[in-house]
Amino acid sequence: MRAAPTILHLDMDAFFAAVEQAAKPSLRGKPVIVGGLGPRGVVATASYEARRFGVRSAMPMAQARRLAPNAAYLVPRFSVYRSVSGQVMELLGRLSPLVEPLSLDEAFVDLEAGGAAHDGEAARAVGERLRGDIRAVTGLTGSVGLAGSKMLAKIASEQAKPDGLVLIEPGTERALLAPMGVRTLPGVGPATGEHLRRAGMTTVADLAEAGEDELVRLLGRAHGASLYAMALGRDDRPVVAERDAKSISVEDTFDVDLHDRARVRWEVERLAERCVRRLRDAGRSGRTVVLKVRRYDFSTLTRSETLRGPTDDPVVVREAAARLLDAVDTTGGVRLLGVGVSGLAGFTQEDLFAQASADAAPVSDGAPPGEGAGGPERTPADAGPGPAGGVGAVAAGGGEPAPEERRWAAGADVRHAAYGPGWVQGSGLGRVTVRFEEPGSAPGRVRTFRTDDPDLEPSDPLPLVPGRGQPLPPAGVPGSLSAEGADGRARP
């Protein structure tokens, strides 16, 4: 524990939804929900306006639509979120060499290590300046917590939401924590919280009064001792600049269960290609290929194969994933597939190319074989709003997607030859509705076109703050390094 509140925790406010509201002036002040739009989609982030209706992250999208039927529902644009996150992380890096990102929208900063602050007054000034800089660069708001430990800094930022700053003075920790629920403390999830409740402990004060021996008896030595220390406000975890990912993975959930074995294999090979693209973008290679299969009854199987050394060869990963699939029974249907690579390294074992068939050809990005009803819904970890082949897009009549038919995902960036930049509000029945506006403009007008209108084209996203920086990278760019089975943390 530090004698000064020089650990800063930044949490951007409703980040994904806030980015969409900044990019689309007509959505400012309106309920916005970002996530998978198919029948099995889930909410990635809900704006504060949508939260008033009870919508929360990780909620099934069908439930969100019942609670907020008039909200704007958009697919995630992760390439845009990563770009904006990079701008925010660059600002944090100017404060200290010790920045610990937790996700795209959240990070700890050790202000003392960077010489930015050594006491409470200076720390508060740094925090306020940071909030102003974030607004100037991105047009977004973030909440800042300052304390003498990581745990308390995070609690402070939660209290500061939205768009505020809270500083916890050293020495006030126990009084602050005492009335809070046990779930406030790191490491106390639903199961542990219920276990403690049955033991009569619902607040942090209850934990402190129970004593270390009782908590160790209930939860085990490591967890019990750690929880008791945190109940007393003690947390000596340092800010760690490097948080190396354990794996890189992608997965798809399907609107309709897949039964055709050839279609399942095609999807696995396609996922393997996407996984390798992310692997290469991160400048990494991996030694273990992992296949994830969730069947019709929600049972989930994982299979893995360890290679002779690390690789980033798409053929090697694709063939390994296919071999793993051969050992899985998909009778009854498949609702989710995933391919990942773990055992990451920064180099490639060249002789692994011999593991691939010399004449193997890359998998085409064309239509899959077998059944075409219910195209894949991209999960939030890898969703992209590309105008063609959007979330859950299928051809009329449920057959294979017609290659000449263009489909437009809600929220996708477009440009019209006559009307300029805009974004897709919705599409269907051969029509696409576009609102023509851009960041910094007044709310724009809405027009409807044929989906094959030659004057309407997909467009790169525009900067959220006009006149600052270059256009953002095109949507659908493969993702960045992620933790096991997740893209950092797809959450608000």
Side-chain angles (χ1 to χ4, degrees):
M1 295 294 296
R2 299 186 178 186
T6 55
I7 293 182
L8 180 148
H9 181 259
L10 171 71
D11 198 350
M12 300 296 291
D13 299 324
F15 183 52
F16 298 169
V19 169
E20 300 301 342
Q21 289 176 317
K24 303 170 173 65
S26 60
L27 297 183
R28 292 171 189 167
K30 306 287 181 60
V32 174
I33 299 170
V34 179
L37 303 188
R40 294 171 177 171
V42 296
V43 175
T45 305
S47 69
Y48 285 99
E49 295 84 359
R51 296 180 192 189
R52 298 191 187 109
F53 294 92
V55 180
R56 295 289 184 269
S57 61
M59 174 182 288
M61 191 62 77
Q63 182 180 355
R65 289 185 184 275
R66 290 193 295 270
L67 293 172
N70 297 320
Y73 289 85
L74 306 174
V75 296
R77 300 186 300 157
F78 278 99
S79 62
V80 179
Y81 308 150
R82 281 191 291 271
S83 179
V84 177
S85 174
Q87 294 176 311
V88 174
M89 295 303 166
E90 181 180 352
L91 292 174
L92 298 182
R94 296 176 187 177
L95 301 178
S96 173
L98 292 183
V99 177
E100 182 178 341
L102 303 180
S103 65
L104 293 177
D105 64 334
E106 183 181 5
F108 288 109
V109 184
D110 188 334
L111 299 180
E112 190 174 303
H118 296 281
D119 57 31
E121 183 178 354
R124 183 182 294 276
V126 169
E128 294 290 5
R129 186 169 66 249
L130 172 65
R131 293 175 59 233
D133 290 344
I134 289 173
R135 185 185 292 273
V137 171
T138 69
L140 307 178
T141 64
S143 298
V144 170
L146 293 158
S149 70
K150 292 169 70 173
M151 176 186 72
L152 291 166
K154 183 172 175 63
I155 290 173
S157 70
E158 288 293 328
Q159 292 182 332
K161 281 187 167 295
D163 190 21
L165 181 149
V166 168
L167 183 149
I168 298 177
E169 291 286 356
T172 66
E173 296 91 349
R174 290 193 64 176
L176 174 76
L177 290 170
M180 293 183 177
V182 295
R183 293 285 301 278
T184 302
L185 301 180
V188 181
T192 301
E194 177 61 21
H195 191 47
L196 292 170
R197 187 195 66 79
R198 290 198 299 268
M201 305 176 200
T202 58
T203 67
V204 176
D206 294 335
L207 301 180
E209 292 172 4
E212 183 174 358
D213 291 343
E214 177 63 12
L215 292 178
V216 167
R217 186 186 69 80
L218 287 172
L219 305 174
R221 169 58 59 185
H223 196 184
S226 173
L227 200 58
Y228 179 68
M230 288 189 289
L232 299 180
R234 302 171 186 164
D235 176 22
D236 58 0
R237 294 174 298 161
V239 176
V240 180
E242 296 295 331
R243 291 172 56 88
D244 202 12
K246 297 178 180 179
S247 73
I248 290 176
S249 62
V250 297
E251 62 183 39
D252 273 352
T253 300
F254 303 96
D255 290 346
V256 178
D257 292 347
L258 304 184
H259 294 84
D260 187 330
R261 184 74 177 186
R263 170 69 185 275
V264 173
R265 184 183 180 91
W266 184 88
E267 293 290 353
V268 167
E269 292 179 344
R270 183 181 62 86
L271 287 166
E273 297 261 345
R274 284 170 52 194
C275 183
V276 170
R277 286 199 297 269
R278 297 186 67 191
L279 193 69
R280 289 181 168 180
D281 284 348
R284 308 298 294 274
S285 60
R287 188 177 182 186
T288 300
V289 178
V290 181
L291 174 70
K292 177 180 177 181
V293 179
R294 180 165 296 150
R295 298 188 289 190
Y296 69 98
D297 59 357
F298 287 89
S299 61
T300 303
L301 304 176
T302 57
R303 299 289 185 268
S304 64
E305 176 180 322
T306 299
L307 308 172
R308 294 196 300 270
T311 185
D312 64 354
D313 183 349
V315 178
V316 172
V317 175
R318 193 172 66 230
E319 292 187 347
R323 287 193 297 271
L324 293 170
L325 178 63
D326 289 340
V328 175
D329 180 12
T330 59
T331 303
V334 171
R335 60 183 292 121
L336 177 147
L337 291 169
V339 174
V341 177
S342 61
L344 302 185
F347 64 93
T348 300
Q349 183 103 1
E350 295 297 337
D351 66 359
L352 280 176
F353 290 119
Q355 296 186 39
S357 300
D359 59 350
V363 172
S364 168
D365 286 333
E371 64 184 59
E377 173 201 332
R378 295 178 184 176
T379 59
D382 252 298
V391 177
V394 294
E400 293 184 2
E404 70 279 0
E405 180 185 351
R406 297 193 297 177
R407 288 167 296 277
W408 306 88
D413 296 281
V414 298
R415 179 175 290 274
H416 191 274
Y419 301 112
W423 58 279
V424 176
Q425 281 199 326
S427 64
L429 301 177
R431 296 289 186 267
V432 55
T433 300
V434 177
R435 185 179 288 273
F436 290 98
E437 60 187 5
E438 54 189 291
S441 74
R445 298 186 64 181
V446 175
R447 296 183 181 274
T448 299
F449 308 90
R450 298 193 318 272
T451 55
D452 59 353
D453 190 316
D455 289 335
L456 186 66
E457 297 291 341
S459 172
D460 291 347
L462 298 173
L464 298 185
V465 178
R468 181 182 288 272
Q470 299 298 316
L472 297 170
V477 172
S480 60
L481 195 63
S482 70
E484 180 73 33
D487 187 4
R489 180 195 56 152
R491 56 175 288 278

